[in-house]
Amino acid sequence: LVLSFFGYEQLLYVFLIAGFFTIGLSHGAVDHLVNEINSGYKQLLLFSLKYIAKGAFLGLIWLILPDLA
């Protein structure tokens, strides 16, 4: 809120993205995958892209067919 008030929205997005990739993605339902993720940068990137793609796909299904979603 403070960053937005002073016109630093781009910096806010950097913090949100960094938080997503450091804490948010590996927290919760995917805790059992943390050891696999820590084995390399490429695996982390691939896992992150798959995770985001699945979420975007489900969001699209929800918009198109809300009863099915």
Side-chain angles (χ1 to χ4, degrees), residues 30-56:
V30 294
D31 282 341
H32 64 284
L33 299 173
V34 171
N35 288 334
E36 293 177 23
I37 292 171
N38 289 334
S39 61
Y41 174 75
K42 287 184 181 181
Q43 286 183 334
L44 174 62
L45 182 61
L46 183 62
F47 175 76
S48 300
L49 290 174
K50 286 180 181 179
Y51 188 83
I52 292 169
K54 288 176 187 176

Side-chain angles (χ1 to χ4, degrees), residues 57-58 60-69:
F57 176 72
L58 289 174
L60 184 64
I61 294 295
W62 190 18
L63 287 174
I64 295 171
L65 301 167
D67 290 338
L68 178 65

